[in-house]
Each structure stands twice: as structure tokens, then as C-alpha cells.
């Protein structure tokens, strides 16, 4: 506005002078021409008719300049810089367009002024929103699948506990030793499931060659025993954490149980004591039961249970977070459902028991340190029986299970096993 007033003042001050100058040029030129000889005057007049004198042209140009300045200022001049004009146009367009919200206008204004750091912040926020949306969609898909199954008259079967016995393709003799000792077979297994709600299955995934000899062998064994739970999972020793996630997701989708337990196929279990112990925590909504520990993080590469991501647990020599030993543990339904829904974003560590502990450490969970789940083999479990404290599970720490289980499982069962009808008297 100040520039506009300055130009207007200049224009008004120059216009009268220019007009007077234009009026005075003609007499002055006549006086000059009178003092020149007529022949020269006639010749000069011929030349001057074709081109006006220099001063006359300057005056005419000045007049024309004043005229154009006046026309320009009479229409108005935009003295705003280009970036200010862009912002003003954006602001006016936001005011005119009813469809644009105030937030959209503010976002556009910020983007116009944004620096690279602001742009990176916007990209980060967008990625977070996408991840949150993916999680929400996964939750909706799970609920939709459950509702669809329920509307079709199906749905997960009710149960008290689902016991998944982790096994491998090469462990058929181990499975036979379990069936011959603490796991019921055939009609007894079906009766236990129907009358007591205790479901037991050997848990195994698929081989790297679908339909190959390994898968066919499991299919044939399952056709005979009917005690397998097949997972959509590629078997492998370093894939135990992933297998655990898939087990809980599959079990939750198949059975609506109060508890979900995982056991290794080289561990001896007293089912009556297991179900009795779990029943005591039936009213707790989020419970994690097992032999709790916090072992040292093994950062040495040559260690058996080496943890490649040891740096996430602090300095070298630090301990793992609290978690149950992997030979046997149980979690309540809410926690199993949480793992099922959030499986895609749950991080997997090298050790399966550490992974499970990390998934639950940030939740409102009651950790139950049940020492009866980690008794030793005879004579340790025998001494506890004599004192009236029957073990839930027995194994050797040196072997992370019963050492030589194919030959020793019957011995452990005969010396530390509960009575045959204990499981039938454990639950109402």
C-alpha cells in the first residue's frame, strides 16, 4: 500500500509538469526557427515535417508514460511477492470452497511452508497410521471370521485346556513313549476331551516338500492315532518361536478353552496335577504359569542357545526378562487370543521361551512361578511324592528334557507318575 501511494504521488506531481511542457514546446520552437534563413528554413521544415525534434519527442514520451502510469494505477497493482500471492490464493480458495475443511487448509498451508524435516515427520506419521490401520483390520478380520463361523452354526469347541505337545518329523519313537505313559490313547483320549474338556494333540507343521515322504508319514500316523494338530508352518529348529505363535492362533480358532498349554515331547507330565493347578487360577483373566527364570543372555556365537540380538537386553552379561522355561508352560485364553490377533507384529527371538516372555512382558499379566512344573527325574520327583507334593512335570535340566526319553520315559512314569484315575478326579 505504501508503494502504491508513492507511485500515485509521483504520477500526480509529474502529470501537470508534463502537460505544461507539452504546451510550451511549440512557441519555443517557432522562436528558434525565426532566426534562420528562409532557404534553410524551408529545407529544414521539410525535414522536420517527417520527424519531430528531439525535445518534442521526449515530451511526447513523457506524456505517454504518465498516461500509462495513470491507467496502471487506476486498475490496481499487486505488489505482493509470488510466494505471498500463492498463499493468499490458497487461503482464499479454502474460504471459497466449502468442501475443504479447516484442517485441510491448515495442512496445505504447512506443506507450502514445510522444510525437509517437516516432510519426514509427515511421512513417519503416515507410516504409523498405516501400521495402526493394518492392526485394526487384522482384528476386524479375526472377529469377522469368528462371527461367520458362529452364524453357520459352528465355532470353536468348548474346552478347559488345550495341551499342545511339540514334536518333530523324526520324533515318532518319542511320541510312542508319551502315548505309552502319561497320554491317553484312542477312546480314552476322546472321552477325556468330551467329559473333562482336556484336549491333547501332538503339534507339527509341514515339511519343505509339501506332500513329500515326511508329510505322508505324519498323515498315516494321524489316520491311526487321531492325535495330531497340523499347523500351516514350515518345520525347522530355528523356527520354534514362529511355530509357537501359529500353535496359539490355530488352537484359539479351533477350541474355546480357558487355558492353552505347550509341552515338549521329551517331558513327563502328570495330567491330574496339571489340570488341578490350572483350575486354581481359573478366575484370573490374564495368567502366565510356568517355572519362571531370568537366565543370562548368551552373546557368545559358539553357545548352544546363542542370542544374536543380545544387544537389545543391555550390556554384555545382562539377564533376559522374566519368562517361563520352554519345556512346559500355560497361558489363559485372553493371552492366547492376544498372540493370535497380534501375531504378525510380535518379534521372534532365537529362543522360543524368551519370545513368549517378551510378548507378554508389557501386558497386565500375572506371572505364576510354579516350581512343580520343573521337577527333576528320579530321585528328585520321588522325594517330592513321599512328601505329598506330586510334580506336574519332570525333566533333566542338563538335557532340557528327559535324557534318553525313548528308554527312560517309562521309568520316570513308573516312579513319579500319579495314579491312573487322577485325571478323572481332577475336574468336576
Amino acid at each position: 500500500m505504501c508503494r502504491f501511494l508513492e507511485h500515485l504521488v509521483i504520477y500526480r506531481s509529474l502529470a501537470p509538469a508534463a502537460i505544461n511542457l507539452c504546451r510550451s514546446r511549440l512557441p519555443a520552437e517557432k522562436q528558434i526557427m525565426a532566426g534562420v534563413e528562409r532557404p534553410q528554413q524551408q529545407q529544414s521544415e521539410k525535414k522536420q515535417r517527417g520527424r519531430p525534434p528531439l525535445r518534442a519527442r521526449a515530451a511526447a514520451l513523457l506524456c505517454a508514460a504518465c498516461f500509462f502510469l495513470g491507467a496502471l494505477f487506476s486498475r490496481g497493482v499487486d505488489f505482493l511477492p509470488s510466494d505471498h500471492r500463492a498463499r493468499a490464493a490458497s487461503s482464499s480458495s479454502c474460504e471459497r470452497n466449502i468442501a475443504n475443511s479447516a484442517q485441510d487448509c491448515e495442512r496445505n498451508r504447512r506443506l507450502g511452508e514445510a522444510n525437509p524435516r517437516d516432510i519426514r515427520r509427515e511421512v513417519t506419521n503416515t507410516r504409523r497410521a498405516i501400521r495402526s490401520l493394518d492392526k485394526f483390520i487384522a482384528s476386524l478380520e479375526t472377529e469377522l471370521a469368528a462371527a461367520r463361523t458362529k452364524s453357520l452354526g459352528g465355532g470353536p469347541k468348548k474346552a478347559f485346556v488345550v495341551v499342545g505337545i511339540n514334536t518333530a518329523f523324526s520324533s515318532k519313537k518319542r511320541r510312542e513313549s508319551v502315548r505309552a505313559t502319561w497320554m491317553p490313547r484312542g477312546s480314552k483320549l476322546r472321552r477325556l476331551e468330551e467329559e473333562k474338556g482336556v484336549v491333547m494333540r501332538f503339534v507339527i507343521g509341514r515339511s519343505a516338500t509339501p506332500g513329500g515322504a515326511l508329510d505322508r508319514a505324519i498323515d498315516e500316523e494321524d489316520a491311526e492315532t487321531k492325535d495330531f494338530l497340523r499347523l500351516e508352518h514350515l518345520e525347522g529348529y530355528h523356527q520354534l518361536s514362529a511355530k509357537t505363535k501359529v500353535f496359539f492362533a490355530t488352537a484359539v480358532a479351533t477350541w474355546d478353552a480357558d487355558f492353552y498349554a505347550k509341552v515338549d515331547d521329551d517331558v513327563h507330565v502328570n495330567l491330574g496335577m496339571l489340570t488341578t493347578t490350572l483350575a486354581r487360577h481359573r478366575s484370573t483373566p490374564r495368567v502366565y504359569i510356568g517355572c519362571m527364570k531370568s537366565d543370562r543372555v548368551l552373546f557368545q556365537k559358539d553357545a548352544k542357545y546363542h542370542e544374536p540380538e543380545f544387544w537389545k537386553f543391555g550390556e554384555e552379561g545382562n539377564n533376559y526378562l522374566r519368562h517361563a522355561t520352554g519345556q512346559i508352560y500355560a497361558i489363559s485364553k485372553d493371552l492366547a487370543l492376544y498372540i493370535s490377533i497380534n501375531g504378525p507384529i510380535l518379534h521372534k527371538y532365537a529362543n522360543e521361551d524368551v519370545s513368549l516372555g517378551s510378548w507378554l512382558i508389557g501386558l497386565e499379566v500375572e506371572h505364576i512361578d510354579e516350581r512343580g512344573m520343573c521337577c527333576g527325574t528320579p530321585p528328585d520327583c520321588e522325594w517330592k511324592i513321599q512328601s505329598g507334593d506330586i510334580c506336574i512335570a519332570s525333566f533333566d535340566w542338563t538335557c532340557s528334557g528327559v535324557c534318553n526319553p525313548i528308554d527312560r520315559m517309562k521309568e520316570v512314569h513308573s516312579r513319579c507318575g500319579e495314579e491312573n484315575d487322577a485325571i478323572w478326579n481332577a475336574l468336576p
Side-chain angles (χ1 to χ4, degrees), residues 79 94 396:
F79 293 102
C94 286
D396 299 308

mmCIF file with all atom_site columns, all heavy atoms in Angstrom, residues 79 94 396:
data_model
loop_
_atom_site.group_PDB
_atom_site.id
_atom_site.type_symbol
_atom_site.label_atom_id
_atom_site.label_alt_id
_atom_site.label_comp_id
_atom_site.label_asym_id
_atom_site.label_entity_id
_atom_site.label_seq_id
_atom_site.pdbx_PDB_ins_code
_atom_site.Cartn_x
_atom_site.Cartn_y
_atom_site.Cartn_z
_atom_site.occupancy
_atom_site.B_iso_or_equiv
_atom_site.pdbx_formal_charge
_atom_site.auth_seq_id
_atom_site.auth_comp_id
_atom_site.auth_asym_id
_atom_site.auth_atom_id
_atom_site.pdbx_PDB_model_num
ATOM 1  N N   . PHE A 1 79  ? 1.447   -5.744  -5.374 1.00 0.00 ? 79  PHE A N   1
ATOM 2  C CA  . PHE A 1 79  ? 2.861   -5.615  -5.006 1.00 0.00 ? 79  PHE A CA  1
ATOM 3  C C   . PHE A 1 79  ? 3.337   -6.766  -4.137 1.00 0.00 ? 79  PHE A C   1
ATOM 4  O O   . PHE A 1 79  ? 4.433   -6.742  -3.627 1.00 0.00 ? 79  PHE A O   1
ATOM 5  C CB  . PHE A 1 79  ? 3.085   -4.304  -4.239 1.00 0.00 ? 79  PHE A CB  1
ATOM 6  C CG  . PHE A 1 79  ? 2.876   -3.088  -5.099 1.00 0.00 ? 79  PHE A CG  1
ATOM 7  C CD1 . PHE A 1 79  ? 1.706   -2.371  -5.003 1.00 0.00 ? 79  PHE A CD1 1
ATOM 8  C CD2 . PHE A 1 79  ? 3.835   -2.685  -6.007 1.00 0.00 ? 79  PHE A CD2 1
ATOM 9  C CE1 . PHE A 1 79  ? 1.499   -1.262  -5.781 1.00 0.00 ? 79  PHE A CE1 1
ATOM 10 C CE2 . PHE A 1 79  ? 3.622   -1.568  -6.796 1.00 0.00 ? 79  PHE A CE2 1
ATOM 11 C CZ  . PHE A 1 79  ? 2.446   -0.849  -6.692 1.00 0.00 ? 79  PHE A CZ  1
ATOM 12 N N   . CYS A 1 94  ? -9.528  -21.768 0.086  1.00 0.00 ? 94  CYS A N   1
ATOM 13 C CA  . CYS A 1 94  ? -10.077 -22.528 1.203  1.00 0.00 ? 94  CYS A CA  1
ATOM 14 C C   . CYS A 1 94  ? -11.340 -21.874 1.735  1.00 0.00 ? 94  CYS A C   1
ATOM 15 O O   . CYS A 1 94  ? -12.264 -22.551 2.164  1.00 0.00 ? 94  CYS A O   1
ATOM 16 C CB  . CYS A 1 94  ? -9.043  -22.643 2.324  1.00 0.00 ? 94  CYS A CB  1
ATOM 17 S SG  . CYS A 1 94  ? -7.704  -23.793 1.952  1.00 0.00 ? 94  CYS A SG  1
ATOM 18 N N   . ASP A 1 396 ? 15.155  -83.406 32.900 1.00 0.00 ? 396 ASP A N   1
ATOM 19 C CA  . ASP A 1 396 ? 16.536  -83.157 33.310 1.00 0.00 ? 396 ASP A CA  1
ATOM 20 C C   . ASP A 1 396 ? 16.997  -81.823 32.721 1.00 0.00 ? 396 ASP A C   1
ATOM 21 O O   . ASP A 1 396 ? 16.924  -81.613 31.499 1.00 0.00 ? 396 ASP A O   1
ATOM 22 C CB  . ASP A 1 396 ? 17.455  -84.280 32.813 1.00 0.00 ? 396 ASP A CB  1
ATOM 23 C CG  . ASP A 1 396 ? 17.064  -85.631 33.389 1.00 0.00 ? 396 ASP A CG  1
ATOM 24 O OD1 . ASP A 1 396 ? 16.937  -85.729 34.627 1.00 0.00 ? 396 ASP A OD1 1
ATOM 25 O OD2 . ASP A 1 396 ? 16.855  -86.568 32.587 1.00 0.00 ? 396 ASP A OD2 1
#
